[in-house]
Amino acid sequence: MAVTVKTGTEVRSPLDVAKIRADFPILSRAVNGKPVVYLDNAATSQKPRQVIGAMRAVFEEYNANIHRGVYEFSEQTTAAFEGARAKVARFIGAHDDREVIFVRNATEGVNLVAYTWGRENIRSGDRIISTVLEHHSDFVPWQQLAKDVGAQIVMIDVDDDGRLRREQLSAEIKKGAKLLAITHTSNGLGTVNPVKEIVAEARAAGATVLVDAAQAVPHTPVDVTDLDCDFLVFSGHKMLAPPGSGGVWGRIGLLERMRPFLFGGDMISRVTVEKTEWNELPWKFEAGTSSYVDAIGLGAAVDYLEAVGVANIHDHELSLVAYLLPRLSEIPGVEVYGPKTLDDRVGVVSFNIEGIHPHDVATIFDREGVCVRAGHHCNQLLMTRLGVAATTRASFYLYNTTDECDALLGAIDRAKKVFKV
Amino acid sequence: MAVTVKTGTEVRSPLDVAKIRADFPILSRAVNGKPVVYLDNAATSQKPRQVIGAMRAVFEEYNANIHRGVYEFSEQTTAAFEGARAKVARFIGAHDDREVIFVRNATEGVNLVAYTWGRENIRSGDRIISTVLEHHSDFVPWQQLAKDVGAQIVMIDVDDDGRLRREQLSAEIKKGAKLLAITHTSNGLGTVNPVKEIVAEARAAGATVLVDAAQAVPHTPVDVTDLDCDFLVFSGHKMLAPPGSGGVWGRIGLLERMRPFLFGGDMISRVTVEKTEWNELPWKFEAGTSSYVDAIGLGAAVDYLEAVGVANIHDHELSLVAYLLPRLSEIPGVEVYGPKTLDDRVGVVSFNIEGIHPHDVATIFDREGVCVRAGHHCNQLLMTRLGVAATTRASFYLYNTTDECDALLGAIDRAKKVFKV
Amino acid sequence: MDDMYRDYILDHYKNPRNQGELEGATNSYSDSNPLCGDEISMALRIDGDRVADVRFNGKGCAISQASASILTEEIKGKTLDEVKAIDRDHILENLGIPISPARIKCALLSLKTLKGAAWGLPAWPGEDEAKARSAG
Amino acid sequence: MDDMYRDYILDHYKNPRNQGELEGATNSYSDSNPLCGDEISMALRIDGDRVADVRFNGKGCAISQASASILTEEIKGKTLDEVKAIDRDHILENLGIPISPARIKCALLSLKTLKGAAWGLPAWPGEDEAKARSAG
Ligand SMILES: Cc1ncc(COP(=O)(O)O)c(C=O)c1O
Ligand SMILES: Cc1ncc(COP(=O)(O)O)c(C=O)c1O
């Protein structure tokens, strides 16, 4: 395996990790008598007391339903909820708060676009470009839409290091496409796509571009204005916020022309038996009682991330990759998937140990307190491409340490001993 | 106004309200220097420390993403999440946990059924029966579906007390309908419909029946097996649980035949470029990372409600209605809407004060610490029917007291003084 | 609250100035706030570049109606440019009472209606230009 | 964990019994666990009412493969009724190790496959009858 990061490559972390860890109550827990080593951040992140506290404050101090109440609690909750939207908008570089729609998660975000913009714009014979790096959540909605309307899915491949085949993508973009739905960062391998240049290319060729930023917004600075895409989705639970929070960002011009997705309370302006007029953006897309406490939690998470600095978090994660990758690849029988360099990647490290199935690896790791993911990571197309059924994946966040990398390496050793490989 | 409940009508509450109140941190708060009197429970309920604590325990003790993790935290979170589903299933009388699908709220629940069962079964010319009591969330999705496929919406009226016109409903059911979408309990007036007999009538005539139980499940015992409906929706945030939790219950036979709603991670079993196989029920309908902490909060809320007893809560609310209704109707210039008796109603009391707009009423109440709702309550069809633009609505829950009714009456007095009416 | 429902506010609410129809109106406009059910229609008679006369009709809460009444008093005789320069802050100042966020829409409905009438536009520059209601 | 990966489990994993193809098979079935990628196919030769011989092939985790190996050893020579009576609890007991909830599916895949072969059904009575996968 050609890992180009060598042992001894020192990348300094800019973070005061000890201070950060003190904010996360769960990190002082033990699992099976060992301190927990949480390395499943690509699945979901842990939450700092600031987020837990912000949610609790709603419940204990001022909870009321939003938008409709003419009393103080309701005004306070509404202000916190809309304040969270403003924070999120600023965090992702949106010009206008109305471009941020709160959804449960990235998956709902993609579906919202597929059911509205997609069903209104994609017709029989149209081409939709996708990639084998896509998470199922950014593939299956388009596959189903294509099936329903008779559109065509064009798949872009990766090279053996899990990097998108740029020439293939460019060639397919040139042939024309209605939509390019592409992940910013792969959750299976940690690959970061050159999204900005891809968006420019695709839009110049007339395609609308949706960016799945579920693994990007938590780990790298993301700016929708700079990316210049049409839609972008992400999940709060992967960025220190509770599950139930997440967002779709869309260009206001597109959002205005789109029909609403879910119908009901709060998204209407006037209802008669014959017809309904919609509320203004962004509420036109937020039917029923929003998960406003989760959204307020997301606002607190954004505050936390901004205080630490997402660019710093990215550098910190790379310092861990620089520590882990060479050590990992020196272990006989360990195969690492994905980028073997520090360029254009985040802190996701996927690997397998010869002779031990990833599920057995994860079970043994668990006894050592090490939480990793084993499976297809909602990336079955990518697994098929890599020729494996599953991998073991360690994924970092701002609170992880090199000691935890050592714990992971120790757990690999343990697994090999148990399995005598 | 013919209020048949007279002052002095004593209905004893079976609840130890002081003990219950101690569980709700927010109830000891002050608003504008006055103790908060929270009477906006039909909009959303407050949360007991048991629910707040259950959510916090996830974050601080064992949080991990569900279903996929082969490590202890993930197994623990999965068990808590699926345990919450089992609690909800039992609470609403479902035979099978797989019949309970977690959604954000009742609104998403109705939309899920409209986008899947609805779009697969309702055709041009089909009749959909609705009522003027419906919340926008159980009307607009059907209105839009009807518009898209060319179906017809048949509206059922109410009498002047806000009770459904049964003869009209029966006559329309006899004419045949594909769907009856009906609210169990009106959020605007507190009317409880005779849902069981209506369901039997409609299903015998070949209609599929969806019951909007958003105001029922929190306030009255609801049993889907006894009701024998086809679908039922409700929201967690109205029953002591956090916003972001809620459920659709559906007959398993229907759910199995339905196409999924949202597509993506967790709802699939196998994905290839060409086609996708769905996961089993209920996960087939739960795409992406569920709001699992909210769902676990809902499980804790169900525990709380079961310990208190929903039938007791219902009796408690009626004791407050019995206290408030006659006193309210004795006030000159006050008009009460909806049922004037204690039969078939819950603790929702809608009224207006002559010469004062409901928004001004609510603003003045707020200065007295009294939180009520003023507006159309997402019931514009009902408001039109009643010939008013808005009403003031007080709605009770298990923690409300007759003292709080007195505070409300005092606030009315204050409003009349301010407005000199 | 006592701050909010001052005597002059209630006086404007109960005895609205310039209420009724306007003969010879040159510009008119109606708007509403569906959430509250507040409604205001306003008619101007513009003579040269001045608002020669104004009338309004409406129903709704004290804040929306008093705001309309006060506004009509203010604009009578003003030039169109002066009228078009009136903004949110001016209205809120003129009302002279603290308005909570949930009631801002009530206070500003009269301005919205006036601007519709003065510009002869359904929406006016700098305010709600992105309002994208579409009927479904 | 040391409880889970006992020597005999690892031995069955590394040296599976009854692995391979079965000449003259009367019944066969394959199943998989898409989440893990575990796969097992099983072939029986049924002679009268007895399982005269059995072979399996598979790939996947130690638990799924050891479970299959142990199961084939057990059923050889048994009557069909005896085979059909084998249930979850029996399998888990026979494995003799603590199985965490996330790994139950691995442990039971062999049973699921066996039942498919024994009943000649894609699903078998009393297990997953509600499995409603539809392709989309
Ligand atoms: C009868 C009824 N149906 C549906 C809803 C919608 O609930 P949610 O906003 O939680 O989706 C409500 C909430 O007010 C309601 O009272
Ligand atoms: C790249 C990517 N896209 C989409 C998703 C779906 O996120 P969620 O489950 O929060 O909807 C994930 C989560 O794993 C992801 O990594």
Side-chain angles (χ1 to χ4, degrees), chain A residues 210-273:
Chain A
L210 176 137
V211 174
D212 175 355
Q215 296 295 342
V217 174
H219 301 284
T220 47
V222 169
D223 185 308
V224 290
T225 306
D226 182 53
L227 281 181
D228 207 24
C229 54
D230 297 292
F231 299 105
L232 182 138
V233 303
F234 61 94
S235 290
H237 68 92
K238 295 183 198 285
M239 51 188 281
L240 310 185
S245 62
V248 180
W249 170 89
R251 279 180 197 282
I252 195 136
L254 285 172
L255 294 177
E256 275 172 0
R257 285 194 300 279
M258 277 152 60
R259 188 182 180 182
F261 175 36
L262 303 178
F263 304 98
D266 227 32
M267 56 71 72
I268 60 92
S269 124
R270 197 183 304 265
V271 176
T272 64
V273 173

Side-chain angles (χ1 to χ4, degrees), chain A residues 42 105-107 135 137 183 185 187 212 214-215 235 237-238, chain B residues 288-289:
Chain A
N105 51 28
T107 303
H135 187 280
S137 291
T183 197
T185 300
N187 65 303
D212 175 355
Q215 296 295 342
S235 290
H237 68 92
K238 295 183 198 285
Chain B
T289 300

Side-chain angles (χ1 to χ4, degrees), chain A residues 106-229:
Chain A
T107 303
E108 189 186 11
V110 176
N111 280 276
L112 184 156
V113 178
Y115 269 108
T116 55
W117 180 89
R119 296 205 179 232
E120 281 175 317
N121 290 281
I122 295 182
R123 305 257 170 276
S124 175
D126 282 348
R127 286 158 47 92
I128 299 171
I129 303 182
S130 181
T131 89
V132 298
L133 284 178
E134 299 318 303
H135 187 280
H136 293 156
S137 291
D138 190 37
F139 175 71
V140 184
W142 305 118
Q143 177 195 49
Q144 296 300 311
L145 172 63
K147 187 170 159 279
D148 288 351
V149 306
Q152 187 194 341
I153 298 275
V154 178
M155 292 302 295
I156 307 300
D157 196 13
V158 290
D159 66 21
D160 294 337
D161 269 1
R163 302 226 176 252
L164 216 56
R165 289 201 185 282
R166 281 292 283 118
E167 359 55 79
Q168 189 194 7
L169 177 57
S170 290
E172 293 296 349
I173 286 174
K174 273 207 198 76
K175 290 188 209 157
K178 201 62 170 254
L179 173 75
L180 167 64
I182 189 168
T183 197
H184 184 296
T185 300
S186 157
N187 65 303
L189 301 177
T191 324
V192 175
N193 287 322
V195 182
K196 187 177 173 177
E197 73 181 46
I198 292 171
V199 170
E201 215 176 292
R203 294 196 61 222
T208 295
V209 184
L210 176 137
V211 174
D212 175 355
Q215 296 295 342
V217 174
H219 301 284
T220 47
V222 169
D223 185 308
V224 290
T225 306
D226 182 53
L227 281 181
D228 207 24
C229 54

Side-chain angles (χ1 to χ4, degrees), chain B residues 165-373:
Chain B
R165 291 203 185 280
R166 281 292 283 119
E167 359 56 76
Q168 190 195 6
L169 177 58
S170 290
E172 293 296 349
I173 287 174
K174 271 204 201 79
K175 289 188 209 156
K178 202 59 169 258
L179 173 76
L180 167 64
I182 188 167
T183 197
H184 183 296
T185 300
S186 157
N187 65 304
L189 302 176
T191 324
V192 175
N193 287 322
V195 183
K196 187 177 173 179
E197 73 181 48
I198 292 172
V199 170
E201 216 176 291
R203 294 195 63 221
T208 295
V209 183
L210 176 138
V211 174
D212 175 356
Q215 295 296 342
V217 174
H219 301 283
T220 47
V222 169
D223 184 310
V224 291
T225 306
D226 182 52
L227 281 182
D228 207 24
C229 54
D230 296 293
F231 298 105
L232 182 137
V233 302
F234 62 94
S235 290
H237 68 92
K238 295 183 198 284
M239 51 188 280
L240 310 186
S245 63
V248 181
W249 170 89
R251 279 180 197 282
I252 196 136
L254 285 172
L255 294 177
E256 277 172 358
R257 286 194 299 278
M258 277 152 58
R259 189 183 181 181
F261 175 37
L262 303 179
F263 303 98
D266 227 33
M267 55 72 72
I268 59 92
S269 124
R270 195 184 305 264
V271 176
T272 64
V273 173
E274 293 71 31
K275 69 169 189 152
T276 297
E277 291 170 31
W278 314 132
N279 200 343
E280 298 170 21
L281 285 174
W283 309 295
K284 171 175 133 182
F285 289 105
E286 293 177 0
T289 300
S290 292
S291 299
Y292 60 80
V293 180
D294 296 327
I296 291 168
L298 177 56
V302 165
D303 285 343
Y304 193 94
L305 291 171
E306 281 188 335
V308 175
V310 188
N312 292 331
I313 292 172
H314 180 62
D315 290 346
H316 172 70
E317 288 182 23
L318 285 192
S319 77
L320 296 177
V321 175
Y323 184 86
L324 180 64
L325 210 50
R327 286 170 176 80
L328 194 59
S329 51
E330 274 162 11
I331 302 174
V334 167
E335 176 163 18
V336 177
Y337 306 98
K340 307 299 184 299
T341 67
L342 295 183
D343 305 324
D344 300 326
R345 61 137 51 240
V346 294
V348 171
V349 178
S350 248
F351 62 95
N352 271 328
I353 308 173
E354 212 188 314
I356 321 182
H357 188 278
H359 276 193
D360 296 319
V361 171
T363 295
I364 295 173
F365 279 24
D366 184 37
R367 302 304 171 103
E368 306 293 313
V370 178
C371 309
V372 295
R373 182 116 317 196

Side-chain angles (χ1 to χ4, degrees), chain B residues 144 147 355 357 359-360 363-364 367 375-376 380 389-390 414 418-421, chain C residues 1-2 4-5 7 10 13-14 34-38 60-63 103 136:
Chain B
Q144 296 299 311
K147 187 169 159 281
H357 188 278
H359 276 193
D360 296 319
T363 295
I364 295 173
R367 302 304 171 103
H376 56 59
Q380 288 187 8
R414 182 94 192 95
V418 170
F419 271 74
K420 303 187 184 73
V421 291
Chain C
M1 176 263 322
D2 302 296
M4 195 150 160
Y5 297 101
D7 281 349
L10 291 173
Y13 174 53
K14 295 189 177 181
L35 186 54
C36 332
D38 293 343
C61 66
I63 304 303
R103 305 301 303 277

